[in-house]
Amino acid sequence: MAETTKEKAARRWSRDEPPLMSSSSGPLTEDLLCSICLEVFTDPVSTPCGHNFCKSCLNTFWNNSQTCSCPYCKEAFTQRPDLKINTTLREISEHYKEKSPEEKAEVVCDVCEDRKLNALKSCLVCQISYCQTHLEPHLRVAGLKKHKLMDPVRNLEDYICQKHDRPLELFCRDDQTCVCQMCEVTDHKNHKTVSIEEESKEKKTELMKTQTDVQQMIQDRIKKIQEVKHSAGDRKINSEKEKAAHVEIFTDLIRSIERCQTELLEMMEEQQKAAEKQEKMLIEELEKEITELKMRNTELEQLSHTEDHLHLLQIYSSLHRPTDTRDWPEISLKTQENLETLRRAFSKLKDTIVEKLTQTELKWMQQYAVDVTLDPDTAHLYLILSEDGKQVTCGKIRQKVPDKPQRFDRYLNVLGKEGFSSGRFYFEVQVKEMTDWDLGVAKESVARKEEICLTPSNGLWAVIMRNGNEYSACASSSVSLSLKVKPQQVGVFVDYEEGLVSFYDVESSSHIYSFTGQTFTDKLYPYFSPCVNNVGKNSAPLIITPVKYNK
């Protein structure tokens, strides 16, 4: 059976192709198509969100739906809108239909001899098509009234059993084929047969359900396209932001290095000038002493041959005493001091560059800051959370909260509400005035009801402080950390795909510790523990703070 225009359109739309009309009408603009029936609008109406549909199509869609929403963009309406015909769009659609009529196959009367008139009906028994005049006997004669008439068709042979030359009036459900009455008592004996009309009615019901499913598939794919476009737009915006941030960060780093280089070169220039000045003074002093020593040597030479013994004895004591000269080894000591000054300058430059690199790294990580809120359903019964979910401290009594599978009951732990299974994220926590704390991330499946060690193999990547100044990283074996200053605020950065968890002292922009080469499969959640109150000595809270871009 020939494929209808609507079926063609639905098939093409399922392949993301525009619907087509007959070849004579040309391509149809999407602006005049109802996205439900995929045909030119009939009595078009507009939804509050601005999309257009055939009035009957939209009412049928809403009648079969539990919610009242736009079939195209899925925007939900609190109440069913009062639909008004869009008269302008209706006029355009009707004008288009008039100019682009669908092709209809003309069937002529088989009886007319001279001028062939269009057929009004086709008879399946006679296998002839009749115009209105020649059809008259079928409407009057009793025997002919029993013949099966149908709308005129050219291919009457398709409606006739080729074996028995009778109309195909029945449908065999066992063999899923159309049969005649002779077939029913011969080849299809004992098969379940029904009239073609009855089977067609059931098939139409199934097709309507299939059409509804196809329409939903179309809407789902339209929505998916919108999501992809939206995601691509967000990705482009984020990419541009990240590029700008990288340019700013590395420009600042280059300026800092250039400034340090200039300072070092100026210091070296000053050291060079000082050394040259010292060399000049040294040469002058040495030449002066050489002159004096030569004069003394001449006197000694003369006196060594004198016969004036009395004069020799009178001046002997003045010539024999040590010459008043400098201790020249001091010069090398000063040169050593200058070299040490330069060494310290180079060391300072190296420290500055390392510090700037760390600051640059921290700035880069801070752009992945997320808003972390504590999850009360995971908090140990002794933990007290602030109303905004940003602070946690250890109380003295058990909180009256329901026990839940996700709640920790062995350790004073709490997790963040949101987990992450891809990408990068960063958050900062104030640890000021605390003597003990744990910070890091935990996998979703971490044990909540049993004793475990703080190690990556148990799903915890953490850095801890104990006794006010003892820091360690909880690796497979504890790693003692030596920190120059006591962190007041700790930043935690995670790169899921790279398997990286890093900790930073925010105020000094210094690196604390990193877990590298990890493999993550579960969701990761921010992990916190304020540890025991210790009779008020550790009563300050852990505070999740807003990330401020570290200048």
Side-chain angles (χ1 to χ4, degrees), residues 377-418:
D377 290 340
T378 65
H380 188 276
L381 297 176
Y382 275 94
L383 295 184
I384 302 173
L385 275 57
S386 61
E387 289 187 6
D388 62 0
K390 299 296 184 182
Q391 301 185 29
V392 57
T393 187
C394 179
K396 297 180 181 179
I397 59 174
R398 293 164 62 95
Q399 305 300 305
K400 294 182 180 180
V401 291
D403 187 22
K404 295 189 175 183
Q406 62 268 41
R407 189 180 303 284
F408 289 95
D409 62 8
R410 286 282 185 174
Y411 300 100
L412 298 168
N413 299 340
V414 62
L415 301 181
K417 279 186 178 180
E418 184 179 4

Side-chain angles (χ1 to χ4, degrees), residues 2-234:
E3 191 177 38
T4 66
T5 301
K6 185 181 293 187
E7 289 169 338
K8 289 179 180 178
R11 173 172 54 78
R12 291 180 62 83
W13 271 46
S14 68
R15 303 200 308 262
D16 293 328
E17 297 178 14
L20 297 177
M21 294 185 69
S22 63
S23 60
S24 62
S25 64
L28 177 62
T29 174
E30 292 183 9
D31 294 334
L32 297 181
L33 289 179
C34 169
S35 61
I36 296 178
C37 68
L38 307 181
E39 294 184 350
V40 180
F41 290 120
T42 301
D43 292 334
V45 293
S46 301
T47 58
C49 56
H51 296 118
N52 302 311
F53 307 90
C54 298
K55 184 175 182 180
S56 60
C57 292
L58 186 57
N59 282 326
T60 301
F61 181 84
W62 282 346
N63 290 338
N64 295 328
S65 177
Q66 295 181 349
T67 59
C68 186
S69 61
C70 173
Y72 189 85
C73 68
K74 300 303 181 183
E75 180 177 343
F77 311 120
T78 54
Q79 59 182 11
R80 187 162 178 165
D82 184 16
L83 301 175
K84 302 292 185 182
I85 300 294
N86 186 328
T87 55
T88 302
L89 187 57
R90 179 175 63 182
E91 290 175 2
I92 295 173
S93 300
E94 289 176 352
H95 180 70
Y96 188 93
K97 289 178 181 178
E98 290 174 0
K99 286 205 166 190
S100 305
E102 291 190 20
E103 282 187 320
K104 292 185 178 178
E106 291 186 356
V107 180
V108 296
C109 177
D110 294 320
V111 182
C112 293
E113 294 181 355
D114 297 328
R115 181 171 174 268
K116 294 284 188 178
L117 300 178
N118 288 339
L120 182 64
K121 291 289 182 180
S122 294
C123 177
L124 292 178
V125 177
C126 302
Q127 299 184 34
I128 294 177
S129 296
Y130 298 101
C131 65
Q132 185 172 3
T133 301
H134 293 117
L135 182 66
E136 189 271 337
H138 279 74
L139 304 177
R140 176 174 49 81
V141 179
L144 295 177
K145 283 185 177 181
K146 296 180 181 179
H147 286 194
K148 191 171 183 64
L149 300 175
M150 62 178 294
D151 289 336
V153 292
R154 285 181 174 179
N155 52 332
L156 268 172
E157 63 276 7
D158 292 343
Y159 298 83
I160 305 299
C161 176
Q162 299 301 310
K163 185 175 183 179
H164 302 108
D165 200 29
R166 294 193 175 200
L168 297 171
E169 300 177 288
L170 303 171
F171 183 81
C172 176
R173 288 182 170 172
D174 292 336
D175 294 335
Q176 290 292 299
T177 186
C178 295
V179 297
C180 68
Q181 291 182 349
M182 282 294 291
C183 293
E184 182 186 25
V185 296
T186 56
D187 298 342
H188 296 269
K189 187 178 181 180
N190 299 325
H191 286 191
K192 183 174 179 58
T193 57
V194 295
S195 68
I196 286 180
E197 289 79 6
E198 181 181 345
E199 184 66 19
S200 176
K201 184 178 179 181
E202 288 193 17
K203 288 291 191 288
K204 284 182 179 179
T205 302
E206 293 177 5
L207 287 174
M208 288 179 65
K209 183 179 181 302
T210 302
Q211 182 186 18
T212 301
D213 294 340
V214 170
Q215 290 172 356
Q216 185 61 49
M217 290 170 66
I218 292 171
Q219 301 307 321
D220 291 343
R221 281 151 182 75
I222 292 172
K223 183 178 180 182
K224 182 59 67 177
I225 290 173
Q226 293 173 334
E227 290 175 355
V228 170
K229 289 181 178 179
H230 182 72
S231 176
D234 287 346

